[in-house]
Amino acid sequence: MKALELKAYNDLQLTDVAKPTPAKDEVLIRVRAVGICGSDVHGLDGSTGRRIPPVIMGHEASGVIEEAGADCHSFSPGEAVTFDSTLYCGECYYCRRGQVNLCDNRKTYGVSCDEYRRDGAFAEYIAVPERGLYRIPENVSFEHAAMVEPVAIAMHAAELAPRSVADSAVVVGAGNIGLMLIQVLRAAGYGLIVAVDVDERKLRTAGELGADYGVDPGNEDVGELVSSLTDGRGTTAAFDAVGLQSTFETALRAVRKGGTVVMVGNLTPELSLPAQYAIMRQVRLQGTVNSCGEYPACVEMIARGAIKLDPLLSAVAPLSEGPDWFARLYNNTEGLLKVILKP
């Protein structure tokens, strides 16, 4: 089969590899759409340490079941599906508690690191466990179904922040996850939502998708704006969808006393914490990883139009054009959001 393989850092090639054979509890999926995630782009040059070549990346995908293993009884060949990007064991302490995203043996498709290697979905076929499958409604395209995974990440992050109806929020970073977060927060009943980004185009999109205000931190003091909009208190929650020192501090200084900062993005492996500021204001710092059971809700919301994905969809292209689109995303000169490849 054809696959887009990271042969070496900054060297993506369309190659021929063996078609996977599904295990008894797996199905073989003919991939119809697969999204390029920011983590794939950052893995291109080895900076993340989680895409060690050679590896087939890709974990945001959808397709049609072509073959089902002997122990698969809930899904059949011919069904359109998407699947959880997380492979969990189902047996460890966390899995038994329903916290599958914290599984001790967790793996992610398209990741190759020191602990494990698992090829992903930038290929014509992929084999996945049946327990991770979700059906796609007829009115949801394969392209939109391939975006369920990042929507689920945004929804999981939103669910980790304590809230009441009409609470306020700041979303730092109006990329794909940030724009999905804004929509999830709006649907969850938040009142004031402020988007923060240095890209005017992304701020405009944030406004179209539910943000009340958009602010460029290079032109305006985020803390002062948020304070003026919240009677001097700050917002109930702030979401750092980037993960840089500057964006983390922007989120931290935007929340009110007793507020919550949800750390979603992780571009930087280590951050410095203004500890006394956080302690004296009793700010809660909340990490978040992957998703945990949000797929059905995400599929349903996409199907009824509560989450709009077309404004985020920058391009749909053949898998063979993958190296070019990766380069364009890596150089970040065109304001691209989500790019979907079709094997």
Side-chain angles (χ1 to χ4, degrees), residues 10-229:
N10 296 309
D11 182 16
L12 272 175
Q13 296 183 26
L14 190 68
T15 61
D16 287 301
V17 299
K19 182 179 176 180
T21 300
K24 290 184 178 181
D25 65 341
E26 293 182 330
V27 302
L28 182 68
I29 295 174
R30 172 70 167 91
V31 180
R32 295 291 299 273
V34 53
I36 301 178
C37 177
S39 63
D40 295 323
V41 176
H42 293 295
L44 193 64
D45 62 4
S47 58
T48 67
R50 294 182 60 78
R51 305 292 193 277
I52 301 173
V55 63
I56 300 168
M57 299 188 290
H59 56 270
E60 306 174 359
S62 65
V64 176
I65 297 175
E66 181 161 297
E67 178 184 344
D71 293 341
C72 297
H73 306 295
S74 299
F75 290 80
S76 304
E79 290 193 273
V81 295
T82 185
F83 54 89
D84 197 325
S85 64
T86 299
L87 292 104
Y88 50 88
C89 70
E91 300 294 333
C92 72
Y93 171 83
Y94 295 102
C95 283
R96 290 181 179 273
R97 288 168 55 90
Q99 296 173 297
V100 296
N101 60 319
L102 301 179
C103 172
D104 284 331
N105 304 297
R106 179 174 65 90
K107 298 178 182 179
T108 301
Y109 296 104
V111 167
S112 173
C113 55
D114 292 334
E115 293 79 22
Y116 68 89
R117 180 182 185 276
R118 181 80 182 209
D119 281 333
F122 287 126
E124 291 183 289
Y125 296 92
I126 186 171
V128 304
E130 184 187 43
R131 66 175 179 268
L133 297 179
Y134 298 90
R135 290 181 176 87
I136 302 171
E138 290 185 1
N139 68 329
V140 175
S141 68
F142 286 110
E143 291 80 7
H144 284 180
M147 298 170 74
V148 170
E149 195 267 355
V151 174
I153 287 176
M155 186 175 290
H156 184 64
E159 290 180 339
L160 290 173
R163 68 181 183 276
S164 299
V165 174
D167 274 346
S168 54
V170 164
V171 176
V172 185
N176 286 298
I177 298 297
L179 292 171
M180 292 171 179
L181 253 171
I182 287 167
Q183 297 184 74
V184 170
L185 296 175
R186 180 58 71 209
Y190 274 81
L192 173 72
I193 299 176
V194 179
V196 180
D197 204 285
V198 297
D199 189 323
E200 184 61 34
R201 291 170 295 184
K202 291 180 179 179
L203 290 177
R204 285 197 299 271
T205 303
E208 295 167 2
L209 295 177
D212 298 290
Y213 292 89
V215 54
D216 180 344
N219 298 328
E220 190 172 359
D221 188 291
V222 176
E224 288 184 4
L225 173 65
V226 170
S227 180
S228 69
L229 296 172

Side-chain angles (χ1 to χ4, degrees), residues 199-279:
D199 189 323
E200 184 61 34
R201 291 170 295 184
K202 291 180 179 179
L203 290 177
R204 285 197 299 271
T205 303
E208 295 167 2
L209 295 177
D212 298 290
Y213 292 89
V215 54
D216 180 344
N219 298 328
E220 190 172 359
D221 188 291
V222 176
E224 288 184 4
L225 173 65
V226 170
S227 180
S228 69
L229 296 172
T230 57
D231 293 328
R233 289 190 300 272
T235 58
T236 309
F239 299 83
D240 178 9
V242 183
L244 298 174
Q245 184 66 37
S246 59
T247 57
F248 170 63
E249 290 195 22
T250 294
L252 179 63
R253 298 186 187 280
V255 294
R256 63 167 173 80
K257 297 175 184 177
T260 300
V261 175
V262 183
M263 303 167 69
V264 188
N266 62 350
L267 285 183
T268 303
E270 293 186 7
L271 297 171
S272 175
L273 171 66
Q276 200 163 64
Y277 181 86
I279 292 168

